[in-house]
Structure formats: structure tokens, C-alpha cells
């Protein structure tokens, strides 16, 4: 593991936040792309929506689930093809397990990640409560910085890789510059 956790897409949701919670010494900075805040208390309508989507996904034909999900994940045709291929490799049973991420949520309305965190959100991400969660996250966590990526859906790193990569590089560079400044100041004070 590097000092920066980047949650892989469609494999293990919230891995960066899980490692941060379980082994905080292993993560100095965090990059979260198009995801929700698993610590935030869900509104009743969100709970209902998740329960209904879980039931709906079980009965929908797999090909339909793949098509709808691919369309929601990207506006770029390459993103949609990637999503469809990944979902076919994942399979319906495992996809349903991944989509059950919220059952393991740790509700703490005041939770902060406790390290510099870059939040990346595609302007066209309409999945779940992600847009709401990501735009309100910096209000409760002053170490979280939101970057909104134009013309990108739920997989903004695939729809606009150049913009997302540039944002991540700037964030990591800022962190290194900040650490150097803190070390220099500590040396002056010591």
C-alpha cells in the first residue's frame, strides 16, 4: 500500500476509507472518486431507495442491469464499454454483494477522515446520493477538498482521465509541499 488510497472501481467499495479506519497509520492522504460518505446518516428516502434498488436488481435481467449501469457510469462510450465488460466479468451475484456496501456503514455524523482528502466528483454523476454526499463532505471535514470534473459521470476518472489525473497530481504535490513547509517550520522552532 502506498500512502495514498485510491478505491478501485467496481471491486471493493470504500477500501480506502476502510483501511483508514482500521489502520490509520498506513494512509497519509486519500483520494476518493465519485463515492458516497459511508459515515453519513441516511435520510429515510435514501434507505427506501437502497432497499428498493436491492430488490429491483435481483429481479431485473442481468443484461438490463449492465446496460443501465454502464450508461450511469459514463458519458464517454469507452467508459460505458469498460463498465459493461467489468460487470460481465464480475457477474450478477458479486455485483449484488458490491451494491450491498451500505449495510456495513458506520454511522457517525461527525466523522472526519483525519487526513488530507481529495474528493473527485463528475458533474453528471446522478447515481444514488453521491453528488449530495460529496458536495457536503467538506462542510464537516475541513481536510477534504472537492474537485468537480466537467463532462464526467460516475466514473469521472474514466470519462475525463486527464483532468482527474491532473487534480490528483496537484493534490499530491500540494501535500508534499505542505509537509516540506511543516518540516522546515518545525526545524526553525526546534
Amino acid at each position: 500500500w502506498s500512502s495514498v488510497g485510491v478505491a478501485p472501481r467496481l471491486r471493493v467499495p470504500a477500501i480506502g476509507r476502510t483501511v483508514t479506519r482500521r489502520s490509520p497509520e498506513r494512509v497519509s492522504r486519500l483520494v476518493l472518486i465519485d463515492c458516497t460518505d459511508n459515515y453519513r446518516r441516511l435520510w429515510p428516502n435514501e434507505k427506501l431507495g437502497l432497499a428498493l434498488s436491492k430488490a429491483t436488481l435481483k429481479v431485473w435481467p442481468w443484461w438490463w442491469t449492465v446496460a443501465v449501469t454502464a450508461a450511469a457510469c459514463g458519458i464517454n462510450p469507452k467508459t460505458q464499454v469498460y463498465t459493461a465488460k467489468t460487470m460481465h466479468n464480475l457477474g450478477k451475484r458479486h455485483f449484488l454483494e458490491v451494491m450491498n456496501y451500505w449495510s456495513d456503514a458506520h454511522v457517525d455524523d461527525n466523522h472526519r477522515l483525519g487526513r488530507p482528502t481529495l474528493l473527485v466528483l463528475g458533474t453528471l454523476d446522478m447515481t444514488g446520493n453521491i453528488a449530495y454526499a460529496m458536495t457536503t463532505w467538506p462542510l464537516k471535514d475541513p481536510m477534504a477538498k472537492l474537485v468537480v470534473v466537467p463532462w464526467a459521470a460516475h466514473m469521472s476518472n474514466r470519462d475525463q482521465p486527464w483532468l482527474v489525473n491532473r487534480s490528483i497530481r496537484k493534490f499530491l504535490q500540494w501535500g508534499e509541499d505542505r509537509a516540506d513547509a511543516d518540516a522546515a517550520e518545525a526545524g526553525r522552532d526546534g
Side-chain angles (χ1 to χ4, degrees):
W1 269 91
S2 67
S3 63
V4 178
V6 178
R9 310 302 300 167
L10 286 177
R11 294 221 175 123
V12 182
I15 193 169
R17 290 168 286 176
T18 300
V19 171
T20 301
R21 186 179 75 243
R22 293 182 184 166
S23 303
E25 72 284 355
R26 296 179 75 184
V27 182
S28 64
R29 287 171 277 173
L30 197 58
V31 175
L32 302 175
I33 300 174
D34 301 308
C35 60
T36 191
D37 179 355
N38 290 353
Y39 293 94
R40 189 180 66 78
R41 187 175 314 279
L42 295 176
W43 296 96
N45 62 327
E46 291 173 316
K47 288 181 184 180
L48 177 62
L50 285 168
L52 289 174
S53 68
K54 184 177 176 183
T56 303
L57 288 171
K58 284 183 180 180
V59 298
W60 265 6
W62 179 235
W63 65 267
W64 179 257
T65 303
V66 170
V68 169
T69 303
C73 283
I75 61 165
N76 182 326
K78 289 181 180 180
T79 302
Q80 294 173 355
V81 169
Y82 170 83
T83 302
K85 285 181 180 178
T86 302
M87 288 185 67
H88 281 297
N89 290 336
L90 194 63
K92 185 173 185 174
R93 183 181 59 77
H94 191 65
F95 178 73
L96 292 173
E97 290 172 14
V98 169
M99 293 306 294
N100 197 32
Y101 71 89
W102 59 276
S103 65
D104 188 35
H106 300 272
V107 175
D108 179 357
D109 292 330
N110 298 312
H111 178 76
R112 294 179 178 171
L113 293 168
R115 64 213 11 87
T117 303
L118 178 65
L119 307 171
V120 180
L121 172 66
T123 55
L124 303 174
D125 190 342
M126 303 297 171
T127 59
N129 65 6
I130 290 172
Y132 174 80
M134 292 200 96
T135 55
T136 59
W137 204 322
L139 300 175
K140 76 169 188 170
D141 192 341
M143 295 181 83
K145 178 185 182 212
L146 176 65
V147 171
V148 179
V149 181
W151 296 106
H154 184 57
M155 294 179 104
S156 58
N157 56 319
R158 286 231 170 243
D159 275 342
Q160 297 290 350
W162 187 83
L163 292 173
V164 172
N165 290 339
R166 186 181 72 180
S167 296
I168 292 171
R169 278 194 304 275
K170 285 174 88 174
F171 171 71
L172 296 176
Q173 182 63 45
W174 174 82
E176 290 170 5
D177 292 347
R178 187 73 222 135
D180 291 344
D182 289 347
E185 191 168 315
R188 234 178 299 134
D189 293 342

